[in-house]
Amino acid sequence: MTVELLSIGSELLLGATIDTNAAWIARRLADEGIQVSRKTTVGDDVADIRAALEEGLRRSRTVICTGGLGPTRDDLTRDAVATLYGRPLRIDEGWLGVLHERFAARGIEMPAANRVQAELPGGALLLPNEHGTAPGVVIDDDDLGLTVLLPGVPTEMRGLMGSHVVPLLRERLGPLHAVQLRVIRTTGIAESIIAGLIDDIAADVAPLTLAFLPHLAGVDLRLAAWTDESAAALDRVHQRLAERLGPYVYARDETDLAVVVGHELRSRRLTLALAESCTGGLLSKRLSDEPGASAFLRAAFVTYANAAKRDLIAVTVQTLAMHGAVSERCAREMADGARRMADADVGVSITGVAGPGGGSEAKPVGTVWVAVSHRAATRAKLLRLAGNRMEIRERAAQAALDMLRRTLTGLSDGP
């Protein structure tokens, strides 16, 4: 079973509001075995709403719409749907009474503008909204198909989905198979290289579906099984992919790399100290976001200035003068110094040029050194990172975490 989603609101097209509703609805429907085949966004225009809805119904016969059910002039979803279905809007006296009661309970008279929120296309089913004034609406037609209208306010939409829409779809569609997912999280390897490494597996993955999900921290692979028959192959294919990608895999579920590293440190009873320059504490934040980080995180030094590197973690004046703050020598001394100053088992450092300025021909923006000091050995690695300032910092923190993971688990540093 597939449905389409229609998000309505000019603010979504302007980028002023991020459409989180569609993603939430898609995940909720997947739990029921219902796949979203397409998502469309239109502005507050009756003709555009009607055209998008008509096209969606023609393809999928079922469309869930969010937005445009408020009391103002730009809330036009009701009008567009009534016109498409050929059913004039009528006042639902029961819901109008509810609105009057709710405003009275707050000690105010209901504004005249809210009256439109009691208007429904003829023959439509009203879904009571416990969290707001805009009810959900369900309208069905043998020729056009089923349309569900939901308010755009996330809490209101979610309440109606759970209490009314999902039960309605279950009743309409009968028992369905909930989608089953498996995730493999990788870092330090490009999406195109992954595609080449697993091409033979990906070519034979049907009836499963395989999605590549690149993001700043790496690339996730997501396997999905939509039927009982395909679910039988899920674990087998998941295992093959993980084995093929080997050391680039840091988790076989949704776990963040910082959580993986924290677990490795706790299980080995090791303590950690950090020294950060260009990331400005981002690495320590990621590690300390997980409850229980105090079991391994001993101290974190944010040493932006050269004087701080010298005074707080004992980077030598000679190193800073001869090699500079963005250098292998400095990264090594930062990791060693943080470990010694905090009396920790392991030290990790990051120093680099995050931009947008500060780069040079020898050390352009994106030049970053990371180092790990562990027992008798200290290792350093040069990174050439792309992106803006925020992206370089995020990628540098992820690379340092991955280097630490590889050190703790006995893997090589990778390319």
Side-chain angles (χ1 to χ4, degrees):
M1 174 63 189
T2 63
V3 305
E4 294 198 17
L5 305 181
L6 177 57
S7 301
I8 300 163
S10 297
E11 71 278 5
L12 302 176
L13 295 176
L14 289 170
T17 300
I18 297 174
D19 182 11
T20 59
N21 284 342
W24 189 92
I25 293 173
R27 290 193 298 268
R28 185 66 185 84
L29 293 178
D31 290 340
E32 300 295 325
I34 301 171
Q35 188 171 9
V36 173
S37 60
R38 184 174 302 206
K39 177 216 162 185
T40 305
T41 304
V42 296
D44 299 308
D45 181 88
V46 170
D48 289 345
I49 297 169
R50 173 175 172 165
L53 179 56
E54 188 172 16
E55 291 170 10
L57 289 170
R58 190 181 304 123
R59 285 187 297 260
S60 299
R61 299 283 300 171
T62 303
V63 178
I64 299 176
C65 307
T66 56
L69 299 180
T72 58
R73 289 184 178 273
D74 62 344
D75 292 306
L76 302 170
T77 302
R78 287 176 294 262
D79 303 84
V81 173
T83 302
L84 176 61
Y85 277 83
R87 302 186 188 181
L89 292 169
R90 296 186 175 91
I91 289 289
D92 184 293
E93 295 294 344
W95 187 250
L96 184 61
V98 169
L99 294 181
H100 279 292
E101 290 173 3
R102 289 188 180 178
F103 279 98
R106 295 161 53 192
I108 57 177
E109 184 178 350
M110 187 188 84
N114 286 95
R115 182 180 173 83
V116 300
Q117 294 185 296
E119 293 183 349
L120 273 69
L125 172 67
L126 182 144
L127 307 179
N129 183 353
E130 301 298 329
H131 305 285
T133 55
V137 179
V138 177
I139 182 167
D140 201 359
D141 182 88
D142 290 340
D143 295 325
L144 286 173
L146 177 72
T147 295
V148 178
L149 307 181
L150 298 173
V153 179
T155 53
E156 298 179 26
M157 176 276 294
R158 294 178 185 184
L160 287 167
M161 278 291 296
S163 60
H164 295 288
V165 179
V166 169
L168 182 149
L169 293 175
R170 285 176 185 158
E171 181 180 350
R172 178 185 175 93
L173 303 173
L176 294 166
H177 176 90
V179 64
Q180 295 187 48
L181 302 174
R182 296 290 186 277
V183 175
I184 294 173
R185 310 204 76 179
T186 72
T187 194
I189 182 171
E191 180 183 12
S192 57
I193 297 176
I194 292 176
L197 288 174
I198 66 169
D199 183 63
D200 59 322
I201 301 175
D204 194 35
V205 76
L208 303 175
T209 59
L210 174 63
F212 290 74
L213 307 173
H215 50 92
L216 285 178
V219 180
D220 294 346
L221 302 181
R222 180 166 294 163
L223 282 166
W226 293 89
T227 66
D228 289 323
E229 293 75 16
S230 61
L234 200 55
D235 289 332
R236 174 176 55 81
V237 176
H238 185 248
Q239 180 68 20
R240 286 186 67 196
L241 290 170
E243 289 176 353
R244 181 69 59 85
L245 296 173
Y248 296 105
V249 176
Y250 65 85
R252 298 192 185 190
D253 51 27
E254 302 280 359
T255 306
D256 184 74
L257 180 55
V259 177
V260 172
V261 168
H263 174 76
E264 294 291 343
L265 288 165
R266 276 192 295 265
S267 65
R268 289 168 169 77
R269 299 181 182 277
L270 297 174
T271 54
L272 175 68
L274 307 173
E276 300 183 64
S277 185
C278 65
T279 46
L282 179 59
L283 181 58
S284 59
K285 178 188 181 302
R286 285 187 60 182
L287 285 165
S288 61
D289 278 345
E290 184 69 11
S294 59
F296 61 84
L297 185 55
R298 181 68 58 87
F301 303 89
V302 178
T303 54
Y304 234 71
N306 284 355
K309 294 178 178 67
R310 179 195 65 209
D311 297 339
L312 297 179
I313 52 176
V315 175
T316 65
V317 174
Q318 292 85 351
T319 290
L320 293 169
M322 295 178 62
H323 302 279
V326 182
S327 64
E328 177 180 3
R329 187 69 170 266
C330 183
R332 286 175 175 272
E333 291 187 12
M334 287 173 66
D336 290 340
R339 180 174 59 83
R340 289 196 309 272
M341 293 299 178
D343 192 24
D345 299 304
V346 185
V348 175
S349 68
I350 306 174
T351 182
V353 185
S360 65
E361 185 176 349
K363 299 175 183 179
V365 170
T367 302
V368 177
W369 280 95
V370 296
V372 176
S373 174
H374 179 44
R375 298 195 180 99
T378 300
R379 297 189 293 174
K381 183 177 180 179
L382 173 63
L383 308 172
R384 301 289 190 184
L385 303 177
N388 58 32
R389 181 177 179 82
M390 181 273 292
E391 291 167 340
I392 289 170
R393 285 155 55 100
E394 292 278 0
R395 287 175 172 140
Q398 181 77 357
L401 283 170
D402 191 47
M403 188 174 181
L404 177 54
R405 173 185 72 94
R406 288 169 176 266
T407 299
L408 295 173
T409 56
L411 298 170
S412 68
D413 288 339

